[in-house]
Amino acid sequence: VVHIAIVCGSWQGASGWTMNILLFSRDLSLELRIRMLRCYIFPVFLYGSESWTLNQILKNRINAFEMYLYRRMMRIFWMDRGNEEVLRRMGKDKELLSTVKERKLQYVGHIMRGDRYEVLRLVIEGKIEGRRSVGRRQNSWLKDLRRWFGRTSIEIFRGAVSRTIIASWIANLRRETAA
């Protein structure tokens, strides 16, 4: 979420136009501005999101950032309309959080299938020897996947080896977010 400050800054393209002028201009169609948002802003924001461990505060910040961009594009003051109204006007759903979930699932499949990632696979499977530190358990990367997809770690590891199973899980995730 450190990327928010970078993404909202005055990035300049080759023509010297700032992204603020292009993204929030009424001269461009809404469809084009959404495409530019998905092309230039979202990839910078989502860089490295495969490795994020999400808690509720971070999820709320991701959703708030997405809604902030949509409200700026529509020039809606934050107290004027609810989020549902803004999404209805945009003709879309929230997509950043589901994109993070998809990327994490694709990443675990990539690790489980690759022969080069033996050490990383051991770390994810939790087969590292040693003792756990004292205190409350931290939210883990794998716990996010278990919670989101309602599966055990073993089911995730076995399913991650198959590209078709991963694709069906992602399709189910997209169907759930669209509903």
Side-chain angles (χ1 to χ4, degrees):
V1 183
V2 175
H3 298 298
I4 292 174
I6 297 169
V7 169
C8 292
S10 59
W11 179 83
Q12 289 187 337
S15 65
W17 288 84
T18 65
M19 288 305 289
N20 282 340
I21 292 171
L22 293 176
L23 279 178
F24 309 123
S25 169
R26 296 264 175 137
D27 296 334
L28 301 175
S29 70
L30 180 62
E31 181 182 337
L32 180 61
R33 288 184 286 158
I34 290 173
R35 288 176 61 194
M36 289 174 54
L37 182 76
R38 295 181 84 191
C39 179
Y40 293 112
I41 305 298
F42 285 176
V44 173
F45 180 77
L46 292 171
Y47 180 76
S49 63
E50 300 89 1
S51 63
W52 293 351
T53 301
L54 298 179
N55 56 18
Q56 193 59 44
I57 294 170
L58 194 55
K59 288 180 193 177
N60 292 343
R61 285 184 181 176
I62 291 170
N63 286 331
F65 175 67
E66 185 174 11
M67 292 308 300
Y68 166 77
L69 291 173
Y70 294 159
R71 284 176 182 276
R72 287 276 314 269
M73 288 174 72
M74 299 294 291
R75 295 188 182 189
I76 299 173
F77 185 61
W78 68 274
M79 291 179 65
D80 288 346
R81 304 265 187 249
N83 288 347
E84 291 80 19
E85 174 68 18
V86 173
L87 292 172
R88 187 190 63 74
R89 282 190 185 183
M90 296 282 290
K92 58 190 323 290
D93 296 321
K94 292 181 184 177
E95 64 181 272
L96 277 180
L97 196 58
S98 61
T99 304
V100 171
K101 292 177 182 181
E102 289 176 23
R103 286 183 175 202
K104 284 182 78 160
L105 190 57
Q106 289 170 345
Y107 184 61
V108 75
H110 179 73
I111 291 170
M112 297 315 256
R113 286 189 303 271
D115 295 332
R116 298 180 293 173
Y117 306 110
E118 188 65 35
V119 174
L120 193 52
R121 190 177 312 136
L122 289 174
V123 170
I124 288 178
E125 290 176 355
K127 295 183 177 177
I128 303 297
E129 293 183 22
R131 295 180 53 116
R132 190 176 68 83
S133 62
V134 177
R136 180 177 165 187
R137 287 184 180 238
Q138 297 293 316
N139 192 16
S140 71
W141 185 85
L142 188 58
K143 191 174 187 178
D144 284 341
L145 290 173
R146 288 194 308 255
R147 191 174 344 118
W148 293 334
F149 298 104
R151 304 193 185 283
T152 64
S153 298
I154 301 298
E155 290 173 336
I156 290 173
F157 295 147
R158 288 184 183 154
V161 176
S162 170
R163 290 179 194 264
T164 55
I165 293 175
I166 292 283
S168 68
W169 289 353
I170 290 174
N172 290 338
L173 177 67
R174 288 180 181 156
R175 215 173 298 122
E176 287 173 7
T177 55

